[in-house]
Amino acid sequence: MQTPPFPQESATLMLDGPAGPLEVAVDPPDAGTAPHPVVAVICHPLSTEGGSMHNKVVTMASRALRELGVATVRFNFRSVGASAGSFDNGEGEQDDLRAVVAWVRAQRPDCALWLAGFSFGAYVCLRASGALQPQALISIAPPVGRRTWDFDSLQPPENWLVVQGDADEVVDAQAVYQWVESLPAPPQLVRMPDTSHFFHRKLIDLRGAIQHEARRWLPDGSC
C-alpha cells in the first residue's frame, strides 16, 4: 500500500498496519485557531464492545485539542470499521498504535507527539508510552483493576493527565484513584463528580478538563 501524505484538511485514509489496512481520520486545528507544532493520536475504547474512532468521548477529546491548535489523528484498531485483523486484547492494538505513530512522525518530524486514549484506548496508550516516548499523555477512564490488563511498570511522560468520573459504571473509580496515589510520579488527576463512564451530559466538562491541562503543554512554532 502506498503511504499517503499527511492531509492539510480533514480526511479519512488507509494506512498499512501490522495486521492489514488501518482506517485513520486526520483533522487539522480548528479554523481561526493559531496552530501549534503538535499532533495528538487518540485511541478508542474496547473494540469488542462497539468502540471506534467515532465514539463521542474520542471525538470530544479531538475537538478539545483542535480548539487549542493541535492536529488530531483518530484511528480504528484492528477489527474495527475498515481496519483489518482480529481483536488482540491490547497486544496487537499496541502495534497498530505504533504503526500510526510511525506514519505521523515520518510525515510531521518536527511536531511533538501527544497520545490520548479512552478506556481500553487509555490502556493501549499507557502500555505503548515507554517505547513511543510521547511529550504528553491524556488517559480518560483508564481501566485499572481489569485482571487481563497490566498497569505495572508503565513509563508515562511527565505531562500526563488522568480524567475519571466518580460514577463510572464500567471502571472502578476508587481503583483508579488508589492507583494514581500509589505512583511515584502521579499524573494530574481530574475527578468528575456524578459522571458515568461515557460522560453522559458531561462532555463539555470533559472538554474543559482536557483544555485546562493541555494548554500548559503547548509548544510554540510550527511543523
Side-chain angles (χ1 to χ4, degrees):
M1 182 183 298
Q2 187 174 4
T3 302
F6 198 94
Q8 300 299 315
E9 300 179 349
S10 292
T12 301
L13 47 88
M14 302 300 293
L15 296 183
D16 190 12
L22 289 171
E23 186 179 15
V24 178
V26 179
D27 292 293
D30 278 7
T33 301
H36 290 275
V38 179
V39 178
V41 179
I42 307 172
C43 294
H44 67 71
L46 193 58
S47 310
T48 53
E49 298 294 334
S52 80
M53 66 180 179
H54 303 295
N55 171 271
K56 62 184 181 180
V57 175
V58 171
T59 57
M60 179 55 79
S62 173
R63 175 182 169 185
L65 295 172
R66 287 186 285 107
E67 289 177 349
L68 293 180
V70 173
T72 65
V73 175
R74 295 170 290 125
F75 71 99
N76 280 331
F77 286 127
R78 58 185 63 198
S79 80
V80 178
S83 293
S86 302
F87 177 68
D88 196 28
N89 202 40
E91 296 302 317
E93 286 79 5
Q94 291 178 58
D95 294 334
D96 297 341
L97 173 57
R98 292 186 188 102
V100 173
V101 166
W103 172 75
V104 168
R105 283 180 158 157
Q107 297 292 321
R108 289 290 184 270
D110 297 324
C111 277
L113 171 71
W114 293 4
L115 297 180
F118 169 44
S119 197
F120 173 71
Y123 167 73
V124 173
C125 287
L126 278 163
R127 293 303 313 170
S129 284
L132 295 178
Q133 294 291 295
Q135 281 72 40
L137 175 64
I138 299 170
S139 303
I140 304 170
V144 177
R146 183 150 177 161
R147 293 181 180 178
T148 56
W149 296 338
D150 181 11
F151 279 82
D152 294 329
S153 303
L154 301 174
Q155 295 178 284
E158 180 179 352
N159 296 325
W160 181 21
L161 170 67
V162 171
V163 183
Q164 177 62 50
D166 281 345
D168 195 319
E169 72 283 13
V170 176
V171 171
D172 183 345
Q174 293 305 314
V176 173
Y177 303 147
Q178 291 171 10
W179 168 68
V180 166
E181 290 175 359
S182 73
L183 296 171
Q188 178 66 37
L189 172 65
V190 175
R191 297 175 54 161
M192 294 182 57
D194 303 317
T195 301
S196 68
H197 186 66
F198 293 100
F199 293 81
H200 297 307
R201 298 182 298 279
K202 298 287 186 175
L203 287 171
I204 299 301
D205 295 337
L206 173 64
R207 180 182 68 172
I210 291 172
Q211 291 180 341
H212 182 268
E213 185 67 12
R215 189 174 283 111
R216 301 190 305 105
W217 307 336
L218 291 169
D220 294 326
S222 60
C223 62

